[in-house]
Amino acid sequence: MKATTRWVRFRSPDGGIGIGTVHGATVAVHAGSLFESPLPTGASLEMADVRMLAPCVPSKMVALWNNFGALAAKLGKQPPVHPLYFIKPATCIIGTGDAIERPASYAGKIAYEGELGIVIGKRCKDVAADDADDHIFGYTCVNDVTAADILNETPDFAQWCRCKGFDTFGAIGPAIATNIDLSQARVITRVAGVERQNYPLSDMIFSPAELVSRISRDMSLLPGDVIACGTSVGVGSIRDGAVVEVYIEGIGSLANSLRPPAP
Amino acid sequence: MKATTRWVRFRSPDGGIGIGTVHGATVAVHAGSLFESPLPTGASLEMADVRMLAPCVPSKMVALWNNFGALAAKLGKQPPVHPLYFIKPATCIIGTGDAIERPASYAGKIAYEGELGIVIGKRCKDVAADDADDHIFGYTCVNDVTAADILNETPDFAQWCRCKGFDTFGAIGPAIATNIDLSQARVITRVAGVERQNYPLSDMIFSPAELVSRISRDMSLLPGDVIACGTSVGVGSIRDGAVVEVYIEGIGSLANSLRPPAP
């Protein structure tokens, strides 16, 4: 297996946007596109001096429903025969440290869902499962934020795209880790410091390779697109002001607070 | 009211991509971005010499369900209290003359839905209905193509994004018409030359201004984004090889054939 690398995207002290690899408390700055073998410039920055951004700029997020055995069992759902998903728009993406903004129009429950995110590295169309790994750049943490009361507000149309598509409702980061072994990894979600989710990725119904393959038969996936692999048990709500952290070993901790609208 | 203009995007005989305004059988070529007051270059091309492209490059299409009174009445649905929509990804967009491609994995019914499309001209976030017109660049025709058998394939999750998100399933064009009066306009859909839909835009439940305003309170809309306003009665299926035309007076005729997979 190749060495693991953790890629970040950041705003540097001079205001510019950069990318680089994480080495302890420093970032080795790289030049070029993340998906076209960027090269180190030789410069490095202290992590403490940069503002982290979403580690990539997806054209869309494809987000799974009912993709973990434990949650399916709890909800009494059969495992699906094909990945079941909705789309979150690019306009909902934020990075670690950014606030999740409560919409001015919505006073109801806002839920966190800690998830693994697959970051696409090469355009995918009708990719075989055996070739999918070549199209995956790496993995990130996702918080698939949801305005939960909207989903079933009307009886005849589940509003997946609306309740999950608000600006700032797609948190990704802090890094994209390449070449990591996910077989033993767990997704851990903490809200205001209290652990609320801790589930193994080995319980996933469709593996990352299968997701990329099958979704690529529906729609082209572009470099930087994110597939959010679905969540498992322990989903709950976020109080205004609370910080949600989604942690996966090898990737890091994605932390976002829920900000109420200005009075 | 300002003069109506019909904007097109095209591939010219030299292979480059251009934009321009339609004047009879010629296009007056313009330079610059469509949404930033492009200027005429003085050059003109014969329409017959250019290949039409989708008239803009949306970052997403927001597509309405249950937005016409006649279809709601036919299906026994109550008018919604908020626009009900799903998202079609940018990767599904095609222009007039492009083929709708039947997915290799899908042998079932493929449906047309002729619709009005709103093209956003300025970034919208929390726009008031009274200000919405300032954010609308113009209008286009939409064929919201659907792999109909997939929608309710599984009982507990309606697959809106999947059944409508296949590459080539979002046809828009042929032009974007600015400053048109839609109060008397009708959407006419013909399949293999036979009229299958002919419904008035005056039957729309949420008007274009209301759609832009309300959706912009959910998610930011970007220049070039398209809101497909929903369809009315007369939806049906397309046989392989048949041409579907969606016509709205003042905009023109969007024509696409359904191409089966190569054997």
Side-chain angles (χ1 to χ4, degrees), chain B residues 189-219:
Chain B
T189 308
R190 296 185 193 93
V191 183
V194 179
E195 186 175 292
R196 304 289 292 273
Q197 296 190 288
N198 184 336
Y199 66 87
L201 289 172
S202 57
D203 186 41
M204 209 178 287
I205 295 171
F206 292 104
S207 70
E210 284 183 81
L211 290 173
V212 168
S213 173
R214 292 187 184 227
I215 296 169
S216 80
R217 292 168 202 270
D218 299 342
M219 60 184 68

PDB file of all heavy atoms in Angstrom, chain B residues 189-219:
ATOM      1  N   THR B 189     -45.714  20.062 -26.129  1.00  0.00           N
ATOM      2  CA  THR B 189     -44.753  18.968 -26.289  1.00  0.00           C
ATOM      3  C   THR B 189     -45.258  18.038 -27.378  1.00  0.00           C
ATOM      4  O   THR B 189     -46.417  17.606 -27.348  1.00  0.00           O
ATOM      5  CB  THR B 189     -44.595  18.179 -24.975  1.00  0.00           C
ATOM      6  OG1 THR B 189     -44.318  19.084 -23.908  1.00  0.00           O
ATOM      7  CG2 THR B 189     -43.472  17.156 -25.079  1.00  0.00           C
ATOM      8  N   ARG B 190     -44.384  17.759 -28.327  1.00  0.00           N
ATOM      9  CA  ARG B 190     -44.723  16.824 -29.408  1.00  0.00           C
ATOM     10  C   ARG B 190     -43.740  15.666 -29.363  1.00  0.00           C
ATOM     11  O   ARG B 190     -42.541  15.866 -29.173  1.00  0.00           O
ATOM     12  CB  ARG B 190     -44.610  17.498 -30.781  1.00  0.00           C
ATOM     13  CG  ARG B 190     -45.589  18.632 -31.004  1.00  0.00           C
ATOM     14  CD  ARG B 190     -45.492  19.164 -32.449  1.00  0.00           C
ATOM     15  NE  ARG B 190     -46.203  20.438 -32.540  1.00  0.00           N
ATOM     16  CZ  ARG B 190     -45.625  21.641 -32.383  1.00  0.00           C
ATOM     17  NH1 ARG B 190     -44.320  21.735 -32.155  1.00  0.00           N
ATOM     18  NH2 ARG B 190     -46.349  22.741 -32.465  1.00  0.00           N
ATOM     19  N   VAL B 191     -44.273  14.465 -29.536  1.00  0.00           N
ATOM     20  CA  VAL B 191     -43.424  13.270 -29.587  1.00  0.00           C
ATOM     21  C   VAL B 191     -43.630  12.617 -30.944  1.00  0.00           C
ATOM     22  O   VAL B 191     -44.778  12.334 -31.314  1.00  0.00           O
ATOM     23  CB  VAL B 191     -43.774  12.286 -28.456  1.00  0.00           C
ATOM     24  CG1 VAL B 191     -42.828  11.080 -28.486  1.00  0.00           C
ATOM     25  CG2 VAL B 191     -43.696  12.977 -27.099  1.00  0.00           C
ATOM     26  N   ALA B 192     -42.551  12.445 -31.687  1.00  0.00           N
ATOM     27  CA  ALA B 192     -42.626  11.911 -33.052  1.00  0.00           C
ATOM     28  C   ALA B 192     -43.677  12.683 -33.847  1.00  0.00           C
ATOM     29  O   ALA B 192     -44.442  12.116 -34.626  1.00  0.00           O
ATOM     30  CB  ALA B 192     -42.914  10.413 -33.030  1.00  0.00           C
ATOM     31  N   GLY B 193     -43.720  14.008 -33.617  1.00  0.00           N
ATOM     32  CA  GLY B 193     -44.604  14.878 -34.394  1.00  0.00           C
ATOM     33  C   GLY B 193     -46.030  14.992 -33.882  1.00  0.00           C
ATOM     34  O   GLY B 193     -46.808  15.800 -34.379  1.00  0.00           O
ATOM     35  N   VAL B 194     -46.397  14.207 -32.876  1.00  0.00           N
ATOM     36  CA  VAL B 194     -47.767  14.206 -32.349  1.00  0.00           C
ATOM     37  C   VAL B 194     -47.815  15.028 -31.057  1.00  0.00           C
ATOM     38  O   VAL B 194     -47.031  14.779 -30.141  1.00  0.00           O
ATOM     39  CB  VAL B 194     -48.242  12.757 -32.069  1.00  0.00           C
ATOM     40  CG1 VAL B 194     -49.665  12.744 -31.488  1.00  0.00           C
ATOM     41  CG2 VAL B 194     -48.153  11.921 -33.335  1.00  0.00           C
ATOM     42  N   GLU B 195     -48.770  15.966 -31.007  1.00  0.00           N
ATOM     43  CA  GLU B 195     -48.865  16.806 -29.813  1.00  0.00           C
ATOM     44  C   GLU B 195     -49.352  15.998 -28.627  1.00  0.00           C
ATOM     45  O   GLU B 195     -50.361  15.319 -28.703  1.00  0.00           O
ATOM     46  CB  GLU B 195     -49.830  17.965 -30.072  1.00  0.00           C
ATOM     47  CG  GLU B 195     -49.871  18.954 -28.926  1.00  0.00           C
ATOM     48  CD  GLU B 195     -50.748  20.153 -29.257  1.00  0.00           C
ATOM     49  OE1 GLU B 195     -50.359  20.931 -30.150  1.00  0.00           O
ATOM     50  OE2 GLU B 195     -51.818  20.292 -28.634  1.00  0.00           O
ATOM     51  N   ARG B 196     -48.589  16.062 -27.511  1.00  0.00           N
ATOM     52  CA  ARG B 196     -48.931  15.287 -26.318  1.00  0.00           C
ATOM     53  C   ARG B 196     -49.182  16.165 -25.096  1.00  0.00           C
ATOM     54  O   ARG B 196     -49.823  15.728 -24.145  1.00  0.00           O
ATOM     55  CB  ARG B 196     -47.791  14.298 -26.015  1.00  0.00           C
ATOM     56  CG  ARG B 196     -47.449  13.356 -27.175  1.00  0.00           C
ATOM     57  CD  ARG B 196     -48.524  12.317 -27.412  1.00  0.00           C
ATOM     58  NE  ARG B 196     -48.586  11.375 -26.314  1.00  0.00           N
ATOM     59  CZ  ARG B 196     -47.860  10.261 -26.198  1.00  0.00           C
ATOM     60  NH1 ARG B 196     -47.019   9.943 -27.175  1.00  0.00           N
ATOM     61  NH2 ARG B 196     -47.976   9.480 -25.157  1.00  0.00           N
ATOM     62  N   GLN B 197     -48.614  17.364 -25.086  1.00  0.00           N
ATOM     63  CA  GLN B 197     -48.894  18.321 -24.009  1.00  0.00           C
ATOM     64  C   GLN B 197     -49.163  19.684 -24.646  1.00  0.00           C
ATOM     65  O   GLN B 197     -48.517  20.044 -25.647  1.00  0.00           O
ATOM     66  CB  GLN B 197     -47.686  18.477 -23.059  1.00  0.00           C
ATOM     67  CG  GLN B 197     -47.323  17.235 -22.296  1.00  0.00           C
ATOM     68  CD  GLN B 197     -46.281  17.520 -21.197  1.00  0.00           C
ATOM     69  OE1 GLN B 197     -45.130  17.770 -21.488  1.00  0.00           O
ATOM     70  NE2 GLN B 197     -46.715  17.484 -19.944  1.00  0.00           N
ATOM     71  N   ASN B 198     -50.102  20.419 -24.084  1.00  0.00           N
ATOM     72  CA  ASN B 198     -50.393  21.780 -24.538  1.00  0.00           C
ATOM     73  C   ASN B 198     -51.109  22.452 -23.378  1.00  0.00           C
ATOM     74  O   ASN B 198     -52.324  22.358 -23.243  1.00  0.00           O
ATOM     75  CB  ASN B 198     -51.268  21.746 -25.798  1.00  0.00           C
ATOM     76  CG  ASN B 198     -51.501  23.151 -26.361  1.00  0.00           C
ATOM     77  OD1 ASN B 198     -51.415  24.145 -25.635  1.00  0.00           O
ATOM     78  ND2 ASN B 198     -51.792  23.222 -27.647  1.00  0.00           N
ATOM     79  N   TYR B 199     -50.342  23.044 -22.500  1.00  0.00           N
ATOM     80  CA  TYR B 199     -50.928  23.583 -21.260  1.00  0.00           C
ATOM     81  C   TYR B 199     -50.460  25.017 -21.031  1.00  0.00           C
ATOM     82  O   TYR B 199     -49.352  25.397 -21.427  1.00  0.00           O
ATOM     83  CB  TYR B 199     -50.599  22.681 -20.069  1.00  0.00           C
ATOM     84  CG  TYR B 199     -49.142  22.602 -19.677  1.00  0.00           C
ATOM     85  CD1 TYR B 199     -48.579  23.522 -18.793  1.00  0.00           C
ATOM     86  CD2 TYR B 199     -48.320  21.596 -20.168  1.00  0.00           C
ATOM     87  CE1 TYR B 199     -47.247  23.446 -18.413  1.00  0.00           C
ATOM     88  CE2 TYR B 199     -46.992  21.517 -19.801  1.00  0.00           C
ATOM     89  CZ  TYR B 199     -46.462  22.449 -18.924  1.00  0.00           C
ATOM     90  OH  TYR B 199     -45.137  22.384 -18.564  1.00  0.00           O
ATOM     91  N   PRO B 200     -51.311  25.821 -20.380  1.00  0.00           N
ATOM     92  CA  PRO B 200     -50.989  27.238 -20.185  1.00  0.00           C
ATOM     93  C   PRO B 200     -50.111  27.462 -18.951  1.00  0.00           C
ATOM     94  O   PRO B 200     -50.330  26.858 -17.894  1.00  0.00           O
ATOM     95  CB  PRO B 200     -52.360  27.876 -19.972  1.00  0.00           C
ATOM     96  CG  PRO B 200     -53.166  26.793 -19.323  1.00  0.00           C
ATOM     97  CD  PRO B 200     -52.664  25.478 -19.889  1.00  0.00           C
ATOM     98  N   LEU B 201     -49.147  28.357 -19.065  1.00  0.00           N
ATOM     99  CA  LEU B 201     -48.302  28.698 -17.920  1.00  0.00           C
ATOM    100  C   LEU B 201     -49.096  29.452 -16.847  1.00  0.00           C
ATOM    101  O   LEU B 201     -48.691  29.502 -15.684  1.00  0.00           O
ATOM    102  CB  LEU B 201     -47.093  29.513 -18.379  1.00  0.00           C
ATOM    103  CG  LEU B 201     -46.069  28.688 -19.177  1.00  0.00           C
ATOM    104  CD1 LEU B 201     -44.994  29.594 -19.763  1.00  0.00           C
ATOM    105  CD2 LEU B 201     -45.445  27.609 -18.296  1.00  0.00           C
ATOM    106  N   SER B 202     -50.251  29.983 -17.229  1.00  0.00           N
ATOM    107  CA  SER B 202     -51.093  30.693 -16.244  1.00  0.00           C
ATOM    108  C   SER B 202     -51.657  29.754 -15.178  1.00  0.00           C
ATOM    109  O   SER B 202     -52.123  30.206 -14.136  1.00  0.00           O
ATOM    110  CB  SER B 202     -52.245  31.400 -16.959  1.00  0.00           C
ATOM    111  OG  SER B 202     -52.994  30.443 -17.697  1.00  0.00           O
ATOM    112  N   ASP B 203     -51.542  28.440 -15.420  1.00  0.00           N
ATOM    113  CA  ASP B 203     -52.043  27.451 -14.453  1.00  0.00           C
ATOM    114  C   ASP B 203     -50.985  27.075 -13.394  1.00  0.00           C
ATOM    115  O   ASP B 203     -51.195  26.203 -12.550  1.00  0.00           O
ATOM    116  CB  ASP B 203     -52.490  26.203 -15.239  1.00  0.00           C
ATOM    117  CG  ASP B 203     -53.157  25.153 -14.366  1.00  0.00           C
ATOM    118  OD1 ASP B 203     -53.957  25.530 -13.482  1.00  0.00           O
ATOM    119  OD2 ASP B 203     -52.865  23.951 -14.565  1.00  0.00           O
ATOM    120  N   MET B 204     -49.843  27.767 -13.435  1.00  0.00           N
ATOM    121  CA  MET B 204     -48.748  27.479 -12.497  1.00  0.00           C
ATOM    122  C   MET B 204     -49.166  27.836 -11.060  1.00  0.00           C
ATOM    123  O   MET B 204     -49.765  28.889 -10.849  1.00  0.00           O
ATOM    124  CB  MET B 204     -47.532  28.316 -12.905  1.00  0.00           C
ATOM    125  CG  MET B 204     -46.193  27.721 -12.562  1.00  0.00           C
ATOM    126  SD  MET B 204     -44.815  28.798 -13.141  1.00  0.00           S
ATOM    127  CE  MET B 204     -44.888  28.518 -14.891  1.00  0.00           C
ATOM    128  N   ILE B 205     -48.853  26.978 -10.116  1.00  0.00           N
ATOM    129  CA  ILE B 205     -49.223  27.229  -8.713  1.00  0.00           C
ATOM    130  C   ILE B 205     -48.298  28.283  -8.108  1.00  0.00           C
ATOM    131  O   ILE B 205     -48.750  29.297  -7.596  1.00  0.00           O
ATOM    132  CB  ILE B 205     -49.226  25.906  -7.910  1.00  0.00           C
ATOM    133  CG1 ILE B 205     -50.334  24.973  -8.455  1.00  0.00           C
ATOM    134  CG2 ILE B 205     -49.415  26.195  -6.411  1.00  0.00           C
ATOM    135  CD1 ILE B 205     -50.322  23.553  -7.900  1.00  0.00           C
ATOM    136  N   PHE B 206     -46.985  28.041  -8.136  1.00  0.00           N
ATOM    137  CA  PHE B 206     -46.020  29.056  -7.713  1.00  0.00           C
ATOM    138  C   PHE B 206     -45.445  29.714  -8.967  1.00  0.00           C
ATOM    139  O   PHE B 206     -44.887  29.029  -9.824  1.00  0.00           O
ATOM    140  CB  PHE B 206     -44.877  28.448  -6.893  1.00  0.00           C
ATOM    141  CG  PHE B 206     -45.315  27.942  -5.545  1.00  0.00           C
ATOM    142  CD1 PHE B 206     -45.472  26.582  -5.317  1.00  0.00           C
ATOM    143  CD2 PHE B 206     -45.583  28.827  -4.515  1.00  0.00           C
ATOM    144  CE1 PHE B 206     -45.885  26.113  -4.078  1.00  0.00           C
ATOM    145  CE2 PHE B 206     -45.991  28.369  -3.267  1.00  0.00           C
ATOM    146  CZ  PHE B 206     -46.153  27.019  -3.046  1.00  0.00           C
ATOM    147  N   SER B 207     -45.578  31.028  -9.071  1.00  0.00           N
ATOM    148  CA  SER B 207     -45.063  31.769 -10.229  1.00  0.00           C
ATOM    149  C   SER B 207     -43.534  31.746 -10.236  1.00  0.00           C
ATOM    150  O   SER B 207     -42.910  31.469  -9.206  1.00  0.00           O
ATOM    151  CB  SER B 207     -45.534  33.220 -10.146  1.00  0.00           C
ATOM    152  OG  SER B 207     -44.851  33.858  -9.060  1.00  0.00           O
ATOM    153  N   PRO B 208     -42.903  32.090 -11.364  1.00  0.00           N
ATOM    154  CA  PRO B 208     -41.442  32.171 -11.383  1.00  0.00           C
ATOM    155  C   PRO B 208     -40.883  33.057 -10.266  1.00  0.00           C
ATOM    156  O   PRO B 208     -39.924  32.665  -9.596  1.00  0.00           O
ATOM    157  CB  PRO B 208     -41.148  32.731 -12.778  1.00  0.00           C
ATOM    158  CG  PRO B 208     -42.248  32.153 -13.622  1.00  0.00           C
ATOM    159  CD  PRO B 208     -43.474  32.219 -12.725  1.00  0.00           C
ATOM    160  N   ALA B 209     -41.475  34.223 -10.024  1.00  0.00           N
ATOM    161  CA  ALA B 209     -40.932  35.103  -8.977  1.00  0.00           C
ATOM    162  C   ALA B 209     -41.035  34.447  -7.604  1.00  0.00           C
ATOM    163  O   ALA B 209     -40.105  34.525  -6.788  1.00  0.00           O
ATOM    164  CB  ALA B 209     -41.667  36.451  -8.990  1.00  0.00           C
ATOM    165  N   GLU B 210     -42.151  33.762  -7.350  1.00  0.00           N
ATOM    166  CA  GLU B 210     -42.295  33.085  -6.060  1.00  0.00           C
ATOM    167  C   GLU B 210     -41.317  31.915  -5.943  1.00  0.00           C
ATOM    168  O   GLU B 210     -40.773  31.668  -4.862  1.00  0.00           O
ATOM    169  CB  GLU B 210     -43.720  32.572  -5.902  1.00  0.00           C
ATOM    170  CG  GLU B 210     -44.711  33.661  -5.557  1.00  0.00           C
ATOM    171  CD  GLU B 210     -46.079  33.058  -5.349  1.00  0.00           C
ATOM    172  OE1 GLU B 210     -46.337  32.521  -4.247  1.00  0.00           O
ATOM    173  OE2 GLU B 210     -46.876  33.095  -6.303  1.00  0.00           O
ATOM    174  N   LEU B 211     -41.124  31.196  -7.035  1.00  0.00           N
ATOM    175  CA  LEU B 211     -40.177  30.076  -6.989  1.00  0.00           C
ATOM    176  C   LEU B 211     -38.774  30.567  -6.653  1.00  0.00           C
ATOM    177  O   LEU B 211     -38.091  30.006  -5.790  1.00  0.00           O
ATOM    178  CB  LEU B 211     -40.173  29.323  -8.324  1.00  0.00           C
ATOM    179  CG  LEU B 211     -41.440  28.517  -8.642  1.00  0.00           C
ATOM    180  CD1 LEU B 211     -41.366  27.959 -10.060  1.00  0.00           C
ATOM    181  CD2 LEU B 211     -41.641  27.392  -7.629  1.00  0.00           C
ATOM    182  N   VAL B 212     -38.334  31.606  -7.361  1.00  0.00           N
ATOM    183  CA  VAL B 212     -36.975  32.118  -7.125  1.00  0.00           C
ATOM    184  C   VAL B 212     -36.857  32.588  -5.677  1.00  0.00           C
ATOM    185  O   VAL B 212     -35.885  32.289  -4.977  1.00  0.00           O
ATOM    186  CB  VAL B 212     -36.641  33.241  -8.120  1.00  0.00           C
ATOM    187  CG1 VAL B 212     -35.363  33.970  -7.714  1.00  0.00           C
ATOM    188  CG2 VAL B 212     -36.514  32.673  -9.525  1.00  0.00           C
ATOM    189  N   SER B 213     -37.860  33.324  -5.212  1.00  0.00           N
ATOM    190  CA  SER B 213     -37.797  33.858  -3.855  1.00  0.00           C
ATOM    191  C   SER B 213     -37.746  32.725  -2.831  1.00  0.00           C
ATOM    192  O   SER B 213     -36.867  32.685  -1.958  1.00  0.00           O
ATOM    193  CB  SER B 213     -39.010  34.753  -3.610  1.00  0.00           C
ATOM    194  OG  SER B 213     -39.063  35.143  -2.261  1.00  0.00           O
ATOM    195  N   ARG B 214     -38.679  31.796  -2.937  1.00  0.00           N
ATOM    196  CA  ARG B 214     -38.757  30.755  -1.906  1.00  0.00           C
ATOM    197  C   ARG B 214     -37.580  29.790  -1.961  1.00  0.00           C
ATOM    198  O   ARG B 214     -37.055  29.383  -0.927  1.00  0.00           O
ATOM    199  CB  ARG B 214     -40.065  29.991  -2.056  1.00  0.00           C
ATOM    200  CG  ARG B 214     -41.262  30.885  -1.711  1.00  0.00           C
ATOM    201  CD  ARG B 214     -42.492  30.031  -1.716  1.00  0.00           C
ATOM    202  NE  ARG B 214     -43.683  30.808  -1.497  1.00  0.00           N
ATOM    203  CZ  ARG B 214     -44.626  30.469  -0.630  1.00  0.00           C
ATOM    204  NH1 ARG B 214     -44.512  29.379   0.103  1.00  0.00           N
ATOM    205  NH2 ARG B 214     -45.718  31.198  -0.509  1.00  0.00           N
ATOM    206  N   ILE B 215     -37.168  29.398  -3.162  1.00  0.00           N
ATOM    207  CA  ILE B 215     -36.037  28.464  -3.246  1.00  0.00           C
ATOM    208  C   ILE B 215     -34.755  29.161  -2.774  1.00  0.00           C
ATOM    209  O   ILE B 215     -33.908  28.540  -2.134  1.00  0.00           O
ATOM    210  CB  ILE B 215     -35.915  27.866  -4.666  1.00  0.00           C
ATOM    211  CG1 ILE B 215     -37.172  27.034  -4.973  1.00  0.00           C
ATOM    212  CG2 ILE B 215     -34.657  27.000  -4.803  1.00  0.00           C
ATOM    213  CD1 ILE B 215     -37.312  26.600  -6.420  1.00  0.00           C
ATOM    214  N   SER B 216     -34.654  30.473  -3.030  1.00  0.00           N
ATOM    215  CA  SER B 216     -33.437  31.201  -2.593  1.00  0.00           C
ATOM    216  C   SER B 216     -33.361  31.325  -1.075  1.00  0.00           C
ATOM    217  O   SER B 216     -32.306  31.661  -0.540  1.00  0.00           O
ATOM    218  CB  SER B 216     -33.375  32.593  -3.225  1.00  0.00           C
ATOM    219  OG  SER B 216     -34.217  33.519  -2.528  1.00  0.00           O
ATOM    220  N   ARG B 217     -34.464  31.055  -0.387  1.00  0.00           N
ATOM    221  CA  ARG B 217     -34.404  31.017   1.089  1.00  0.00           C
ATOM    222  C   ARG B 217     -33.910  29.652   1.578  1.00  0.00           C
ATOM    223  O   ARG B 217     -33.556  29.497   2.745  1.00  0.00           O
ATOM    224  CB  ARG B 217     -35.787  31.304   1.677  1.00  0.00           C
ATOM    225  CG  ARG B 217     -36.212  32.735   1.423  1.00  0.00           C
ATOM    226  CD  ARG B 217     -37.689  32.961   1.728  1.00  0.00           C
ATOM    227  NE  ARG B 217     -38.171  34.116   1.015  1.00  0.00           N
ATOM    228  CZ  ARG B 217     -38.149  35.375   1.485  1.00  0.00           C
ATOM    229  NH1 ARG B 217     -37.675  35.609   2.673  1.00  0.00           N
ATOM    230  NH2 ARG B 217     -38.594  36.371   0.755  1.00  0.00           N
ATOM    231  N   ASP B 218     -33.933  28.669   0.674  1.00  0.00           N
ATOM    232  CA  ASP B 218     -33.391  27.347   1.010  1.00  0.00           C
ATOM    233  C   ASP B 218     -31.912  27.261   0.632  1.00  0.00           C
ATOM    234  O   ASP B 218     -31.081  26.826   1.429  1.00  0.00           O
ATOM    235  CB  ASP B 218     -34.149  26.247   0.262  1.00  0.00           C
ATOM    236  CG  ASP B 218     -35.629  26.191   0.619  1.00  0.00           C
ATOM    237  OD1 ASP B 218     -36.036  26.736   1.655  1.00  0.00           O
ATOM    238  OD2 ASP B 218     -36.389  25.598  -0.163  1.00  0.00           O
ATOM    239  N   MET B 219     -31.617  27.626  -0.602  1.00  0.00           N
ATOM    240  CA  MET B 219     -30.245  27.454  -1.094  1.00  0.00           C
ATOM    241  C   MET B 219     -29.905  28.595  -2.040  1.00  0.00           C
ATOM    242  O   MET B 219     -30.780  29.112  -2.730  1.00  0.00           O
ATOM    243  CB  MET B 219     -30.106  26.114  -1.816  1.00  0.00           C
ATOM    244  CG  MET B 219     -31.001  25.936  -3.018  1.00  0.00           C
ATOM    245  SD  MET B 219     -30.867  24.276  -3.768  1.00  0.00           S
ATOM    246  CE  MET B 219     -31.594  23.245  -2.510  1.00  0.00           C
TER     247      MET B 219
END
